[in-house]
Amino acid sequence: MSTLTDQIATDVADAFLNTDDWGEAVTYTPNGGSAVSINVIWDESFETISVSDGVEIRNFQPACFADEDDITGDVDGDTIVRGGSTYYVLDKQGEQGQGIVILLLSLRSIHG
Amino acid sequence: MADDVRQKIVDAVKARLQTITTGNGYETSVGSNVKVWRDMTSTPFASGDLDALNIRDMRTEASREGQPMGTTQHEMTMHIEAATKDTTMARDKKLRKILADIIKAIGTDRQWTVSGSKLAWNTQIESTAIDVQHKGEILGGCQLVISILYRTLDFDPYTTSH
């Protein structure tokens, strides 16, 4: 009998991130590693960002949901290519063992 | 219809800031998009609007003490705010250049002379601030607070007094 963790992992791969359902394939390159194709759920919301007292900018915040087994270790310097655009991974959110992690992305490198 | 002195000063500040372009010898072209009292709550700048400036004449303190008979001194606190999106230049460096350009532009005439008439007798820099946010893109903002000192005849906001 499989554990709940195993069942979550199966659901993540077979249902949530399946490209026949909500998922789509992108190219993920860990810093210093090789590019691989992984499935993610893409999310791009708009939000108002305050950059100084009295200065507000409405801007998009790209992010994606990915299988935690595809994203291991520190994400600093990792990139994702989607539709010809390169996104830099700013942060990884979510706890190990929950199946899915959220990657916060930017068109600009934090080192740029 | 005549404009009062405060309106004339705001118009003069806007016109001066609009001269901030690289073609006029400045380091940035932030003067290409200057707004007055853009409501940042309901209509924040869009990423495509940048670079941009916003002017807000926040408050004016009036005083008659020590002034020539029949005149009132006004100290107008004006906020000049800029927003920028990083492209090729490092974001923090660009913000400092924008601040420097604004200060340089103000310094070309701190008495805001229009058609040979000085609208104010002095302008002072009160404070500056910058901030950077890294979300979908790298966005930066800066703020310059200035005080513009001008005199009018008592209860006559339309007539400048020197």
Side-chain angles (χ1 to χ4, degrees), chain A residues 51 56 58 106-108 112, chain B residues 45 91 131 134-136 143:
Chain A
V51 288
E56 307 278 343
R58 190 161 169 75
S106 174
L107 286 170
R108 304 286 172 189
Chain B
F45 285 130
R91 56 275 190 183
D131 191 18
H134 193 171
K135 295 289 180 82
Q143 182 188 63

Side-chain angles (χ1 to χ4, degrees), chain B residues 32-145:
Chain B
S32 299
N33 188 8
V34 180
K35 307 294 184 188
V36 177
W37 274 105
R38 174 144 174 168
D39 179 0
M40 289 293 170
T41 303
S42 59
T43 56
F45 285 130
S47 178
D49 294 336
L50 308 182
D51 301 339
L53 288 176
N54 194 32
I55 302 167
R56 297 186 296 157
D57 51 320
M58 300 291 282
R59 60 181 288 124
T60 297
E61 299 281 350
S63 171
R64 297 184 65 220
E65 191 174 345
Q67 301 306 312
M69 185 74 76
T71 68
T72 299
Q73 175 179 278
H74 308 269
E75 182 173 348
M76 181 202 298
T77 301
M78 178 176 283
H79 290 200
I80 302 170
E81 291 133 356
T84 185
K85 180 172 65 176
D86 176 60
T87 50
T88 56
M89 193 186 298
R91 56 275 190 183
D92 55 326
K93 186 174 183 180
K94 185 169 186 182
L95 287 169
R96 294 187 196 98
K97 282 182 179 292
I98 289 172
L99 278 176
D101 280 348
I102 296 170
I103 292 169
K104 178 182 173 182
I106 292 170
T108 59
D109 173 16
R110 291 185 286 168
Q111 296 180 313
W112 306 99
T113 306
V114 175
S115 301
S117 174
K118 300 180 192 306
L119 296 173
W121 61 271
N122 200 11
T123 301
Q124 301 171 168
I125 297 169
E126 300 295 340
S127 65
T128 64
I130 65 172
D131 191 18
V132 172
Q133 295 277 330
H134 193 171
K135 295 289 180 82
E137 299 185 72
I138 298 175
L139 304 166
C142 60
Q143 182 188 63
L144 175 73
V145 179

Side-chain angles (χ1 to χ4, degrees), chain A residues 16-96:
Chain A
F16 299 125
L17 299 181
N18 190 316
T19 55
D20 290 331
D21 296 310
W22 301 292
E24 64 176 287
V26 297
T27 302
Y28 168 67
T29 306
N31 190 11
S34 302
V36 293
S37 179
I38 64 171
N39 291 347
V40 301
I41 298 173
W42 197 261
D43 180 68
E44 203 163 276
S45 60
F46 274 80
E47 60 181 86
T48 300
I49 300 166
S50 177
V51 288
S52 186
D53 183 25
V55 185
E56 307 278 343
I57 304 171
R58 190 161 169 75
N59 197 48
F60 72 107
Q61 172 61 73
C64 66
F65 298 82
D67 189 327
E68 68 177 10
D69 292 334
D70 290 334
I71 314 293
T72 57
D74 188 2
V75 296
D76 187 14
D78 295 1
T79 60
I80 285 178
V81 176
R82 177 188 187 244
S85 297
T86 298
Y87 296 85
Y88 298 86
V89 181
L90 298 180
D91 193 18
K92 178 174 69 174
Q93 297 182 346
E95 295 181 12
Q96 200 71 23

